[in-house]
Amino acid sequence: VEPLQAQDYDLLLKGGHVIDPKNDIDGPVDVAVKDGKIARVSADISAESSERVIDVTGLYVSPGFIDLHGHHFFGTTPDRYLSDSFTAVPADGFTFRAGVTTVVDVGGAGWRNFSRFKEQVIDRSQTRILSFINIVGDGMSGLPEQNINDMDPRMTALAAERYPEIVGIKIAHYEGPDWRTTIERLVEAGNLANIPVMVDFGRGRPSTEELFMELLRPGDIFTHAYHPGPHKEQVVGENGRVKPFVFAAQEKGIIFDVGHGGGSFVFSQAIPAIEQGLLPNTISTDIHIGSMNAGMKDMSNVMSKFLNMGLSIQDVILRSTWNPALAIKTPDLGNLSVGAEADIAVFSVREGNFGFVDSRRNKLEGNKKIESELTLLGGQIVWDLNGLSASVWNSQAE
């Protein structure tokens, strides 16, 4: 009798269509996992080589989705906005079921309360939570977002240097006339910490052209790219054409992020922009209590909207995995390279009659919908919609 051989892999996803933009993989190959890492991506990996085999025939396999814009500083402090508040959402309740393995909380915490965010949320969550720290020291608590005196580039940069979870700096909702000063302080902090910044400007109505072409740097992020206005300048003008400086900004390296949210995405901006070639660099949800049960729903729903607006599945996956990983300078994420964390999304693209709703309750009818079947985080199954990884129940079993 031959001695038993230790199997090469812990888990094998067999028979799926892999889309891995970083590695230019787009076709039927298998994915093997060992010790929580990607061990091999190749055609026809032997089932006998793995301790566990999951048949994913007919499904897509990709890196776990990265949601670049969310609000997860959940807490119980009354009368706050998206910082330590009921308005933010616990990540684990909304990520894995949509294929998401990494989220970026944008602006919930500032340098004054980031340690609380880390202890209370980041360290207690399965989902990988990264952060764009707020330039306002008190974070996204509401009215204090207007306090220029609390926009401290040095203290913000020091926090970013202390905590590796901080991958960028954000400003949001500023409504005063001195908007240029706020952006200058934001970018100063970004320069000090050598990380990108994200801008969600408020009712101060800055000149978007000046913002893009004079103040922001290549690699900085403009979120809510398809916002309806009127309090923020739109990328598509009243004549139905994308403004020329917007294309110039994207060519410069400004990253256009979706940031759907409860009030920040409309088809009347997105569809003509896409038709004219202004595609988002990154797809994201802006998830919070006000968006998750409205038109936005979740990451897979937002991705499905772009699929039905003309982007290919490859385009959508690129903008939900590798592009956001590059945007936050984490090239170890968003790919299925051998040795990478085994963060994997397995999903179907259902065909049928579906309706998709924007932030103004306008409906787009579509025939394709992404549905997450199986999600792995560090090689562990954290979501299994239809029991792909489970054994069939046997009525005769004890």
Side-chain angles (χ1 to χ4, degrees):
V1 178
E2 292 185 5
L4 293 174
Q5 297 290 320
Q7 286 159 314
D8 295 329
Y9 311 117
D10 300 327
L11 184 147
L12 177 64
L13 299 175
K14 192 159 184 61
H17 181 124
V18 173
I19 301 176
D20 178 10
K22 176 191 175 181
N23 294 300
D24 294 321
I25 299 174
D26 180 18
V29 291
D30 303 335
V31 180
V33 175
K34 179 72 172 179
D35 297 331
K37 307 287 187 181
I38 302 295
R40 186 181 174 194
V41 180
S42 178
D44 299 322
I45 300 175
S46 170
E48 284 70 35
S49 65
S50 181
E51 181 178 336
R52 190 176 192 182
V53 179
I54 302 177
D55 183 2
V56 293
T57 302
L59 300 172
Y60 288 100
V61 178
S62 79
F65 306 148
I66 300 173
D67 186 355
L68 191 67
H69 185 147
H71 294 285
H72 302 287
F73 191 179
F74 177 79
T76 57
T77 304
D79 301 321
R80 289 180 72 86
Y81 183 37
L82 290 165
S83 174
D84 195 21
S85 74
F86 295 100
T87 314
V89 296
D92 292 349
F94 305 93
T95 48
F96 305 138
R97 62 187 52 233
V100 175
T101 52
T102 299
V103 297
V104 185
D105 179 271
V106 294
W111 67 267
R112 296 182 190 277
N113 57 359
F114 187 84
S115 61
R116 182 179 181 89
F117 176 40
K118 178 172 166 55
E119 188 278 330
Q120 181 172 296
V121 177
I122 295 174
D123 293 346
R124 297 171 186 264
S125 300
Q126 275 188 287
T127 308
R128 181 184 296 100
I129 300 178
L130 304 174
S131 173
F132 270 63
I133 193 172
N134 204 309
I135 187 62
V136 178
D138 193 39
M140 200 173 285
S141 58
L143 286 178
E145 286 182 276
Q146 310 305 311
N147 185 1
I148 293 181
N149 293 327
D150 199 26
M151 298 180 185
D152 189 324
R154 180 174 172 275
M155 294 304 295
T156 301
L158 285 172
E161 292 168 3
R162 177 179 180 185
Y163 296 104
E165 296 90 349
I166 297 174
V167 294
I169 306 166
K170 182 179 182 207
I171 190 167
H173 308 134
Y174 181 73
E175 299 181 3
D178 196 10
W179 66 267
R180 188 178 178 105
T181 297
T182 69
I183 302 299
E184 288 171 345
R185 293 192 182 189
L186 175 75
V187 171
E188 181 184 349
N191 284 330
L192 288 170
N194 191 30
I195 51 180
V197 303
M198 176 183 283
V199 175
D200 166 14
F201 52 74
R203 295 169 185 259
R205 287 190 65 83
S207 161
T208 308
E209 184 171 7
E210 187 177 347
L211 177 73
F212 289 164
M213 306 311 293
E214 295 183 21
L215 297 173
L216 295 184
R217 309 159 299 170
D220 288 338
I221 302 168
F222 172 66
T223 194
H224 306 319
Y226 306 111
H227 195 282
H231 301 298
K232 302 176 184 180
E233 185 177 358
Q234 299 165 301
V235 295
V236 177
E238 293 182 359
N239 63 357
R241 306 299 299 174
V242 174
K243 298 170 184 176
F245 72 83
V246 175
F247 288 114
Q250 195 173 51
E251 290 170 6
K252 170 185 171 179
I254 303 300
I255 293 170
F256 285 73
D257 175 57
V258 173
H260 188 300
S264 300
F265 173 87
V266 287
F267 293 124
S268 60
Q269 285 284 304
I271 291 174
I274 290 168
E275 289 176 346
Q276 294 168 50
L278 183 70
L279 276 60
N281 297 96
T282 55
I283 295 173
S284 66
T285 65
D286 184 17
I287 189 170
H288 50 76
I289 290 294
S291 65
M292 59 179 237
N293 292 324
M296 189 281 293
K297 297 180 176 62
D298 61 20
M299 183 69 170
S300 58
N301 189 269
V302 178
M303 293 166 68
S304 297
K305 290 174 181 175
F306 283 88
L307 200 58
N308 285 280
M309 287 188 288
L311 273 69
S312 69
I313 188 63
Q314 292 79 10
D315 283 336
V316 169
I317 296 304
L318 170 64
R319 288 158 174 79
S320 307
T321 58
W322 185 231
N323 274 6
L326 291 178
I328 55 176
K329 300 184 179 181
T330 56
D332 52 324
L333 301 178
N335 65 81
L336 300 178
S337 300
V338 171
E341 288 287 327
D343 295 352
I344 304 172
V346 180
F347 59 95
S348 63
V349 178
R350 295 175 54 197
E351 295 186 359
N353 297 316
F354 307 107
F356 301 96
V357 180
D358 69 10
S359 297
R360 293 287 174 88
R361 295 195 57 77
N362 299 301
K363 179 180 177 180
L364 172 71
E365 294 182 344
N367 58 12
K368 297 181 284 289
K369 188 175 185 180
I370 295 170
E371 185 171 77
S372 177
E373 285 283 349
L374 189 75
T375 307
L376 280 70
L377 179 74
Q380 300 299 309
I381 295 165
V382 290
W383 170 254
D384 187 352
L385 180 63
N386 287 300
L388 286 176
S389 66
S391 301
V392 176
W393 174 75
N394 184 348
S395 62
Q396 303 304 314
E398 292 293 331

